Amino acid sequence: MPAMIRYCAVFLVTALMGAGLSHAARASDLDRLEAFMEVTGFDVALDSIRLSAEAAPSMIGLESDDFGSEWTRLVEDVFDSEQMHSMAIEILSQTLEDDILNHAVDFYASDLGQRLVVAENASHMTDDEQLKTESGEAIVAGLLEIGSPRLEELKRMNNAIGSEDASIRAIHEVQVRFLMAAASAGVIDLQMDEADLRENLKSQEGEMRLNLQRSALSGSAYTYQAFSDADISAYADALEDPKMQQVYELMNAVQFEIMANRYEAVAQRMQSLRPSQDL
């Protein structure tokens, strides 16, 4: 499942506090959710959040290399796969309805669906992001040169996965929560309040939108390069189904909530790694 915010966080937390299921029913539901995570590739998408942690120090003017091996240990601890997996299961167990779950599983369990998941999982866990980006951009340039209609189908697929507006709001929320947590922990001296920070990020929205469009297109071109045009069109059709739209709205919300939560945890623990810095 492609990776694309925190939508209704209060609702999600409230949902987790209610509803007492019987042990047998809960065990059965958990088995189905575990199968959903694996079949759709959402488990690997969550694991890939750890790779994004390399960018966290840059938000406060530092680099992950500045922390040496301590940063690697911190990331492995905070972005623990089992913990993130458990967080996702807890939220999904209270929010993912059976008909939506079944719809997604039926598609991703198909021959095309499983081939897509294999390609997406490999793309999610690619260590060399620069090579991935350059390769994807080269593919896009080639498609533009020959006037291939495949580009429009890739764009249609990306639009179905998640709106740019929602992605931008989610990214801003992750940034705000990370920076506010870093300021609270004394890692940085933040020279603005939360409202000013949000306004500052909003002023950069135009550039971010262009970067997201370019990144999404090159990423899709790279990830699905081995698939036929017909496969790409069939995938776009499947993603535009209203039920699949609901699946992705929830998946995106869960993924960004976990990312924001883990980035906050990183910020709170960075104080022990390096003296405070002014922002």
Side-chain angles (χ1 to χ4, degrees):
M1 182 169 284
M4 243 323 164
I5 183 212
R6 194 189 175 199
Y7 292 135
C8 302
V10 173
F11 162 74
L12 292 177
V13 172
T14 302
L16 291 176
M17 296 173 65
L21 298 176
S22 70
H23 177 76
R26 183 170 175 77
S28 175
D29 288 342
L30 290 179
D31 287 343
R32 296 180 69 233
L33 287 172
E34 291 287 356
F36 168 84
M37 296 272 286
E38 182 177 356
V39 170
T40 61
F42 191 53
D43 53 351
V44 177
L46 289 178
D47 279 343
S48 70
I49 292 175
R50 182 173 62 254
L51 301 180
S52 74
E54 290 294 321
S58 66
M59 282 192 264
I60 55 174
L62 300 171
E63 298 295 335
S64 58
D65 289 344
D66 294 336
F67 302 103
S69 60
E70 291 185 56
W71 180 257
T72 300
R73 287 193 293 270
L74 174 62
V75 168
E76 289 177 351
D77 186 26
V78 174
F79 292 88
D80 177 70
S81 294
E82 289 188 8
Q83 183 176 5
M84 292 191 295
H85 187 92
S86 296
M87 291 171 69
I89 289 291
E90 280 297 321
I91 298 174
L92 292 175
S93 68
Q94 302 295 335
T95 56
L96 184 59
E97 297 179 358
D98 286 347
D99 63 329
I100 303 301
L101 180 152
N102 292 334
H103 180 83
V105 168
D106 285 346
F107 173 76
Y108 283 106
S110 68
D111 175 68
L112 174 59
Q114 282 301 282
R115 287 190 290 119
L116 288 164
V117 169
V118 170
E120 290 163 358
N121 286 351
S123 182
H124 280 313
M125 301 308 292
T126 298
D127 290 329
D128 194 339
E129 281 296 323
Q130 182 176 351
L131 175 62
K132 177 179 172 180
T133 298
E134 292 175 352
S135 298
E137 290 177 346
I139 294 171
V140 170
L143 293 173
L144 279 171
E145 186 174 351
I146 64 175
S148 173
R150 184 183 180 92
L151 277 177
E152 291 306 313
E153 290 301 280
L154 288 172
K155 291 178 182 178
R156 184 162 72 95
M157 185 186 69
N158 287 338
N159 288 335
I161 289 170
S163 73
E164 291 170 9
D165 288 341
S167 296
I168 289 172
R169 286 196 301 271
I171 293 169
H172 283 174
E173 191 65 27
V174 171
Q175 292 174 317
V176 168
R177 289 173 63 176
F178 174 76
L179 291 172
M180 296 305 295
S184 177
V187 177
I188 57 174
D189 180 16
L190 191 61
Q191 302 296 320
M192 60 183 79
D193 59 21
E194 183 174 337
D196 289 338
L197 177 58
R198 290 184 182 278
E199 188 62 30
N200 179 267
L201 291 173
K202 187 174 180 58
S203 69
Q204 304 170 32
E205 193 171 296
E207 181 180 356
M208 177 179 287
R209 188 180 301 277
L210 291 175
N211 289 336
L212 280 176
Q213 292 173 347
R214 184 166 54 249
S215 176
L217 187 57
S218 65
S220 294
Y222 172 87
T223 300
Y224 306 108
Q225 58 186 294
F227 290 82
S228 68
D229 290 351
D231 286 339
I232 298 299
S233 294
Y235 195 19
D237 289 341
L239 291 170
E240 287 176 341
D241 184 280
K243 288 186 177 180
M244 195 71 89
Q245 293 280 292
Q246 293 181 58
V247 171
Y248 271 89
E249 182 177 4
L250 181 56
M251 294 301 97
N252 290 339
V254 171
Q255 186 164 344
F256 277 111
E257 172 60 25
I258 291 174
M259 181 183 291
N261 178 281
R262 295 296 80 200
Y263 268 56
E264 284 178 324
V266 165
Q268 292 163 1
R269 293 179 54 175
M270 285 178 69
Q271 186 180 35
S272 63
L273 301 185
R274 189 175 179 85
S276 297
Q277 299 288 321
D278 288 339
L279 184 63

